[in-house]
Amino acid sequence: MTDTPTARTPPAFGGERLLVVGTGAIAAMYLPFWLNWLTTAYRNLEVQVVLTSSAERFVSAQALSVLVRREVIPDRWPEETRPDALHVRLAEWSDSVVVYPACLNFISRLALGLADTPALLMLQCTSAPVAVAPSLPPGAMDNPTLQRHLATLAERRNVVVSPVQAVPSLTTGRRDAAGAPPLSTLITMLEALRVSLSGDGSGDGSDGTSGDASGEVSGDGPRVAGAEAV
């Protein structure tokens, strides 16, 4: 958490059903904090979590299920036969999406148009606003290939990519990792995109007020994002 947490009113957010995709950056270990913040700050917001296999190394799906009061969905194709398709179900359910944290591997696959998991296929097809929060290891931001991938994602009309912030690396101990901003910052960016898409007739078009802030809560969160992406 921040050294001097400051209570603040959470940013306005008009989404009603938020899909949170957690990927294999070690910052995924902070998802319990942020999901607790989401469910406290936005009482009427429905939250569904999808975790990649790499993310499951850093955070417990069971713990997250308790926080969002629904089962966490693993980002792999179901073994059992179902009458519906998981990626379609996720796309039709969600009116907003955050990829938080977004590791280097997931960013690259998403930018290249790959769709070999339910979350990736859904993200390639959805028209809902999507906010991507890179969480990267030391040196990654200097990689020209990654820079092109981030630029490619930013060119998509329904995608916004957050800036990174310098954070201590849990491996080197130096402040040379590129961490995701607080989720509250990403929600602000997502809302601006959502309103923009609604204004030109794209996306879900919902302009409700599901951000039912019932109290003053801190939106700063952990600063040591530990952005070791795998």
Side-chain angles (χ1 to χ4, degrees):
M1 300 197 184
T2 58
D3 295 334
T4 55
T6 302
R8 63 174 62 178
T9 301
F13 183 57
E16 298 179 351
R17 296 177 303 280
L18 177 66
L19 181 67
V20 178
V21 180
T23 77
I26 199 171
M29 68 182 181
Y30 296 121
L31 277 173
F33 173 90
W34 286 119
L35 292 176
N36 182 64
W37 174 79
L38 271 176
T39 55
T40 301
Y42 305 96
R43 298 279 187 189
N44 295 331
L45 179 66
E46 294 184 65
V47 180
Q48 175 67 66
V49 178
V50 174
L51 285 182
T52 68
S53 297
S54 296
E56 290 176 339
R57 298 164 53 196
F58 301 121
V59 67
S60 163
Q62 184 174 359
L64 301 186
S65 294
V66 173
L67 290 169
V68 299
R69 297 182 294 278
R70 66 174 67 224
E71 184 178 357
V72 169
I73 298 174
D75 189 23
R76 46 185 173 267
W77 301 108
E79 295 183 1
E80 70 279 7
T81 302
R82 292 182 56 96
D84 59 352
L86 178 56
H87 63 284
V88 175
R89 180 155 47 97
L90 291 172
E92 293 189 345
W93 178 86
S94 57
D95 60 24
S96 305
V97 185
V98 294
V99 183
Y100 193 94
C103 69
L104 194 155
N105 183 55
F106 195 89
I107 289 170
S108 299
R109 291 160 67 203
L110 180 59
L112 290 170
L114 300 182
D116 54 347
T117 71
L120 279 170
L121 182 52
M122 181 277 299
L123 286 167
Q124 304 296 4
C125 299
T126 185
S127 60
V130 177
V132 179
S135 184
L136 306 166
M141 286 300 294
D142 296 326
N143 185 324
T145 300
L146 174 64
Q147 292 171 9
R148 287 193 295 270
H149 287 333
L150 292 174
T152 295
L153 291 178
E155 289 174 357
R156 299 188 185 184
R157 64 190 312 275
N158 69 317
V159 175
V160 62
V161 179
S162 74
V164 296
Q165 57 185 7
V167 296
S169 165
L170 297 184
T171 300
T172 68
R174 299 186 299 271
R175 199 175 181 82
D176 55 2
L183 184 56
S184 53
T185 299
L186 204 66
I187 291 295
T188 299
M189 298 176 68
L190 183 63
E191 176 65 2
L193 176 61
R194 190 192 70 82
V195 171
S196 174
L197 292 175
S198 298
D200 65 11
S202 304
D204 176 74
S206 171
D207 58 359
T209 55
S210 64
D212 178 21
S214 58
E216 298 289 309
V217 295
S218 172
D220 294 327
R223 280 190 179 173
V224 182
E228 305 299 314
V230 294

